[in-house]
Amino acid sequence: MASLTWHGHSTFSIVTAAGIKIVIDPFFDDNPRSDLKAAQVEADFIVVSHGHADHFADCIPIARRTGATVISTFEIASFCAAKGVEHTHGMNIGGGWQFDFGRLQLTAAIHSGTVAGDDTGTHTTICSGLLFDIDGTQVYHAGDTALTMDMQLLKGHVDVALLPIGDNFTMGPRDAARAVEFIEPDVVVPMHYGTWPIIEQDPQEFVKMVGDRARVVVLEPGGQLEL
Ligand code: NI
Ligand code: MN
């Protein structure tokens, strides 16, 4: 059975039933709530929603050390290749691809974007959402985003939704609860909160706002959910 682990902020790892290791939005060393350091992380694939440092900071070092394939928007994949990452796969929003671990489709998100470490400014990219099919379970990582009407398109296609609730930079708890109404997932895991005071939230307030619309699983860093 596949499992999902939260590492604080928007950083997750998934191990598929076949043992393939996926890391999403690797932010370990400068993440005050992470349970791991980047040097400890094993990965076969690294999937990046956008280039902000709190989603991308440890991507290139982990990819170089492990040989993992970096999957992201075309611009971020190209930036990683230019920085010496051997295996990359560029995509764009709306497109999907069948990987060894299952299918991944990039979905719409509303957010700004730069690529941390890009001195040339040529790799600017907006954020994408990440819709995975892992061993038949549909997992949606929303990235950094506002509440969008496009989330209604995901209804019926998501079993587990990973949603930002931190407010200020992304949806806050109230809009994230509306996203749950739009998406109708079975399980919701809140993310992108509690890392710094500016995105401090009480996840139990979010649990109350969601009510009986979905099962909210509040993880601690290092906490796991079976998919
Ligand atoms: Ni961001
Ligand atoms: Mn962020």
Side-chain angles (χ1 to χ4, degrees):
M1 185 175 262
S3 67
L4 173 90
T5 304
W6 188 51
H7 303 290
H9 208 58
S10 296
T11 306
F12 290 84
S13 54
I14 293 173
V15 180
T16 70
I20 299 172
K21 299 182 182 72
I22 306 160
V23 175
I24 305 170
D25 282 2
F27 178 52
F28 295 98
D29 286 353
D30 292 337
N31 175 356
R33 295 198 67 202
S34 179
D35 59 313
L36 291 177
K37 289 296 175 194
Q40 299 173 275
V41 175
E42 292 301 324
D44 299 303
F45 294 89
I46 302 171
V47 184
V48 176
S49 68
H50 66 302
H52 283 156
D54 59 317
H55 300 258
F56 182 61
D58 297 314
C59 176
I60 289 172
I62 295 171
R64 280 183 174 162
R65 178 174 53 77
T66 63
T69 299
V70 175
I71 305 168
S72 191
T73 50
F74 183 81
E75 291 82 359
I76 291 177
S78 300
F79 178 71
C80 291
K83 294 290 183 184
V85 174
E86 191 173 353
H87 305 289
T88 61
H89 185 108
M91 303 177 68
N92 218 317
I93 292 165
W97 186 257
Q98 185 72 32
F99 294 93
D100 289 350
F101 59 78
R103 185 175 165 85
L104 170 66
Q105 183 175 9
L106 302 191
T107 69
I110 297 181
H111 191 65
S112 66
T114 55
V115 177
D118 177 18
D119 301 329
T120 68
T122 55
H123 298 88
T124 298
T125 176
I126 61 170
C127 189
S128 54
L130 311 167
L131 182 59
F132 294 89
D133 181 329
I134 303 288
D135 301 324
T137 298
Q138 316 299 314
V139 180
Y140 169 59
H141 183 293
D144 279 359
T145 186
L147 177 68
T148 74
M149 292 294 283
D150 290 344
M151 289 174 180
Q152 296 183 5
L153 297 171
L154 298 171
K155 182 177 166 182
H157 299 277
V158 177
D159 299 308
V160 178
L162 317 177
L163 300 180
I165 67 161
D167 218 347
N168 195 73
F169 300 116
T170 67
M171 295 190 287
R174 194 161 299 279
D175 278 359
R178 291 194 69 198
V180 173
E181 287 183 33
F182 287 178
I183 300 166
E184 298 187 3
D186 296 328
V187 175
V188 181
V189 179
M191 65 175 184
H192 210 275
Y193 73 96
T195 320
W196 306 286
I198 197 166
I199 54 172
E200 198 61 52
Q201 296 291 340
D202 178 358
Q204 295 307 325
E205 289 298 311
F206 175 65
V207 172
K208 284 183 203 153
M209 290 175 192
V210 172
D212 59 7
R213 293 187 194 92
R215 182 165 71 94
V216 181
V217 177
V218 177
L219 294 173
E220 290 297 316
Q224 284 192 354
L225 176 70
E226 291 205 339
L227 296 178

